[in-house]
Amino acid sequence: MMGMNPRQMKKLMRQMGIKMEELDGVKEVVIRLENKEIILKDPVITIITAQGEKSYQIVPGSEEVRTVISIPEEDIKLVMEQAGVDYDTAKKALEEAKGDLAEAILKLTEE
């Protein structure tokens, strides 16, 4: 297949029942792992359909890795009680404090 022009390649793929299409308008793709997220910004995504199965080819424009902190429910409830705030406020404070209970409570009670 070396030296085959793109039009010939598309025709051959169509004959083999392989369809390729580009997915437009995608701003980012997020891959969530247990303790981090990989954010692929401005990706070029190609959907390849062969024998009824879809595959996605993703080529990122740029990549960002974020560490995800898991906040236990007990910690959120403790911050709610100690600081006298609602669930979402307590959770956000804990996330900003990277799970540090004392820092989250102090931040909320100082405001």
Side-chain angles (χ1 to χ4, degrees):
M1 291 194 195
M2 296 290 280
M4 187 178 288
N5 74 38
R7 250 179 38 196
Q8 289 175 319
M9 181 65 84
K10 283 184 181 181
K11 184 178 177 184
L12 180 61
M13 290 176 68
R14 251 193 329 266
Q15 289 172 349
M16 294 184 339
I18 299 171
K19 180 181 171 190
M20 292 179 68
E21 62 182 300
E22 196 165 302
L23 191 59
D24 294 325
V26 179
K27 296 180 189 244
E28 68 180 24
V29 173
V30 179
I31 300 170
R32 287 192 177 88
L33 303 170
E34 190 172 320
N35 61 350
K36 68 180 174 180
E37 292 180 343
I38 301 170
I39 296 96
L40 307 174
K41 303 271 186 179
D42 301 316
V44 174
I45 300 178
T46 305
I47 302 171
I48 304 163
T49 307
Q51 298 176 350
E53 296 288 325
K54 284 186 179 181
S55 297
Y56 294 82
Q57 177 181 348
I58 302 169
V59 180
S62 64
E63 179 181 320
E64 177 185 323
V65 178
R66 289 186 203 151
T67 302
V68 176
I69 299 168
S70 177
I71 308 291
E73 287 295 313
E74 311 87 64
D75 290 359
I76 296 170
K77 289 177 183 172
L78 180 63
V79 172
M80 287 173 61
E81 292 169 9
Q82 295 295 315
V85 296
D86 64 27
Y87 182 91
D88 292 332
T89 304
K91 184 175 180 183
K92 184 178 178 193
L94 278 164
E95 288 169 348
E96 289 173 358
K98 295 184 174 90
D100 186 320
L101 286 166
E103 183 180 332
I105 293 167
L106 281 172
K107 181 180 183 266
L108 291 169
T109 54
E110 288 176 351
E111 293 179 351

